[in-house]
Amino acid sequence: MPPADQEIDAPTANAPGDAAAGAARPASRRVPLWLVSVVVGVLAALVSAIGSWTPSAWADEAATMSAARRSLPELWHMVHHIDAVHGLYYAGLHLWFTVVPYSPFTLRLPSALAIGVAAAFTVVLGDRLAGRWTGITAGLVFAVLPRVTWAGTEGRSYAATAVVSVVLTLVLVIAVRRTTERSGRPWAWWVLYGVLVVLSGLLFVYVVLIVWAHAVTLLLWMLRRGGPGGRRSHVRAALWWLVPTATAALLLLPFVRLASGETGAQLFSLPELRWGPLLRTLVFTVQFFMSAKLLAWVGWALIVFGAVGTVVVPRLRLRAPAVEVTLPVIVLPPIVVIVASQLTHPLYNARYFTFETPFVALAIALGLTLVPWRVVSALGLAAIVVLAQPQWHLQRLPTAKDSSTWAQAAAYLTEQRAAEPRGTRDAIYYGPLPLHVNRTTEFVAAAYPEAFAGMRDLTLERSAVDLGQLWAQRRSAADPLPDLTGVDRVWFVGQPTDDAPERMQQQLVADGWRVATDRRDGGFLLRSFERG
């Protein structure tokens, strides 16, 4: 059986790909890398997509749809007040829904496709840094990581951040190699690197932290003096890196200033971070493994074994570039955000680091492929799949997202309205959102618009589009109802509180209305009124 890692193309090794090729099977009999990566990518996309239509939508996805349904000029107006950090993603979803009809599944489908693309590039990066088998293993590990299978079912930008981070790093590796070997127009790769840094920042500003990790990687390569030309060639590569990085930083500065000015409105719900068990759980388990504690222990152990084994075992030292790439990306960004959270205000959320998952997968793959027998690696990979499966299942339950039962409430409303006499004119009173009573069920209407289509809004004071906000300005429960002339039925949808729906019901009853239907479902009260 051939060794697990044979074909390496690392930027700091003396043509290790050539050295390994002699021990590998003939090139004509090898499966092309592009085909292997595509197969792994398709598999990863399917793993994420299957069952993604089942969970009810939740608040973050409702925000996506509130933004994505606007025209591009309206969206441009909005991002100058709120959510600039997600503006590029919203624009992409806006274009997506000009050609694809909306449903919770089609909202999440781009994320599943992005996971497939990220998996494919993880294979390519792993192949270049540590060999074909390690690359394939990394792509498969990536496909089943709980944070990845969660992101693939989420109508947000997190899956896309995994794509840009792995592609950006792959471009860095190629650019460094071309620079140190003085071959193949390295300037073009550095230009591409700069463009991708800007794109990464516009997609989700936290991804830019990977550039600092790249700086550490370049420093390690300079200190190790590997590759053609020794230290001098890597100093030259580092200087090349500075040019697109500095240019991208200058281009992103206005955007970062805009986004940072909106953090108070966006991050107000993040808890204050304190050094202790909660923070350790978030970083050690939740950040990449969700609630799979055993998988977290196995994953981190493999990361440590892979890194140490690569340094200690002579036959594996050609894989050192993989360690020098992955560990800075895994370690540095969370440290920066946690320290910043301690010094300023809460900035940490475990899901914000989804962009690191390709590197976590590659680091785990280094541990899985420590031994030269692929059957052992395959058994280890199978164990990871088994440990990850319960998380995959939990993520596809109807109430998987923040215990949301929005789909059931919307289905009931749709059913009741369909049974009304033809021509019935409905009005909606958006009550408090279950589990988030400071919000309203306008969130539900954003995620399930067909259930609320054509209803007159009784609580609207000023629309979200006019405000340049995600959500409208609304009357309080203490305010009187507007004139109901022309309305045949009034619906209250929301979580009951001391004021809602009691105050509006008192006014309706005083005006001759009566309760027509009444249903409680998963925290929702769905109560309709008709004229007596």
Side-chain angles (χ1 to χ4, degrees), residues 63-398:
T64 296
M65 289 315 304
S66 173
R69 285 198 181 93
R70 305 179 193 209
S71 68
L72 292 179
E74 290 169 346
L75 185 57
W76 180 255
H77 174 56
M78 188 201 83
V79 298
H80 284 81
H81 296 86
I82 190 73
D83 255 7
V85 70
H86 297 300
L88 180 62
Y89 175 72
Y90 291 155
L93 263 289
H94 169 84
L95 298 176
W96 169 256
F97 286 119
T98 60
V99 296
V100 176
Y102 169 76
S103 72
F105 172 65
T106 58
L107 168 63
R108 297 161 183 165
L109 181 58
S111 293
L113 297 176
I115 292 301
V117 174
F121 278 105
T122 299
V123 174
V124 176
L125 181 65
D127 174 80
R128 181 169 284 270
L129 292 177
R132 178 67 54 86
W133 178 242
T134 301
I136 294 171
T137 304
L140 294 174
V141 170
F142 174 81
V144 299
L145 277 179
R147 177 57 66 186
V148 170
T149 55
W150 169 86
T153 67
E154 190 71 10
R156 299 294 276 176
S157 63
Y158 303 117
T161 66
V163 177
V164 295
S165 67
V166 71
V167 173
L168 179 65
T169 304
L170 179 61
V171 169
L172 173 75
V173 170
I174 296 172
V176 169
R177 186 171 183 83
R178 296 292 177 88
T179 302
T180 57
E181 294 183 346
R182 297 179 180 270
S183 65
R185 296 181 180 178
W187 62 267
W189 290 97
W190 290 116
V191 169
L192 179 58
Y193 182 85
V195 170
L196 288 173
V197 171
V198 173
L199 178 64
S200 300
L202 294 176
L203 180 65
F204 190 60
V205 71
Y206 281 52
V207 183
V208 175
L209 293 171
I210 201 174
V211 175
W212 292 100
H214 289 169
V216 174
T217 297
L218 289 170
L219 178 61
L220 292 172
W221 287 346
M222 283 192 292
L223 295 176
R224 198 157 63 85
R225 306 188 195 183
R231 176 181 293 181
R232 182 176 298 178
S233 67
H234 286 285
V235 170
R236 184 169 61 251
L239 293 174
W240 268 103
W241 171 84
L242 278 174
V243 175
T245 301
T247 304
L250 289 173
L251 292 174
L252 283 172
L253 185 59
F255 172 76
V256 172
R257 291 183 61 185
L258 173 64
S260 62
E262 299 172 355
T263 55
Q266 291 179 241
L267 305 180
F268 66 91
S269 61
L270 293 182
E272 185 176 346
L273 278 184
R274 299 183 185 277
W275 302 109
L278 175 59
L279 182 57
R280 287 195 297 270
T281 298
L282 288 172
V283 175
F284 183 81
T285 305
V286 178
Q287 192 164 277
F288 304 123
F289 306 101
M290 305 296 284
S291 60
K293 294 182 180 179
L294 180 56
L295 178 59
W297 280 103
V298 172
W300 285 113
L302 287 168
I303 289 172
V304 172
F305 292 158
V308 173
T310 296
V311 174
V312 172
V313 180
R315 70 173 180 83
L316 296 177
R317 286 177 185 164
L318 286 177
R319 308 194 316 174
V323 176
E324 294 158 343
V325 166
T326 57
L327 291 190
V329 176
I330 295 170
V331 173
L332 187 61
I335 290 177
V336 171
V337 173
I338 290 169
V339 171
S341 297
Q342 301 292 328
L343 297 176
T344 57
H345 54 82
L347 297 167
Y348 178 89
N349 190 309
R351 61 179 178 263
Y352 293 170
F353 299 92
T354 304
F355 70 89
E356 295 185 348
T357 50
F359 308 93
V360 173
L362 179 52
I364 290 174
L366 291 174
L368 287 172
T369 56
L370 268 179
V371 297
W373 305 289
R374 293 185 179 182
V375 65
V376 176
S377 304
L379 289 173
L381 179 60
I384 287 178
V385 172
V386 170
L387 292 174
Q389 195 279 332
Q391 292 296 304
W392 183 92
H393 174 72
L394 289 173
Q395 292 164 358
R396 283 149 183 81
L397 294 176

Side-chain angles (χ1 to χ4, degrees), residues 399-419:
T399 57
K401 297 183 180 294
D402 199 29
S403 301
S404 171
T405 58
W406 298 6
Q408 297 93 301
Y412 174 78
L413 182 61
T414 299
E415 176 187 327
Q416 291 297 307
R417 293 188 67 200

Side-chain angles (χ1 to χ4, degrees), residues 420-446:
E420 293 173 348
R422 186 180 181 86
T424 299
R425 293 162 295 185
D426 291 329
I428 179 67
Y429 188 101
Y430 289 115
L433 184 68
L435 303 180
H436 302 279
V437 294
N438 59 321
R439 301 168 176 173
T440 75
T441 45
E442 179 188 3
F443 280 69
V444 184

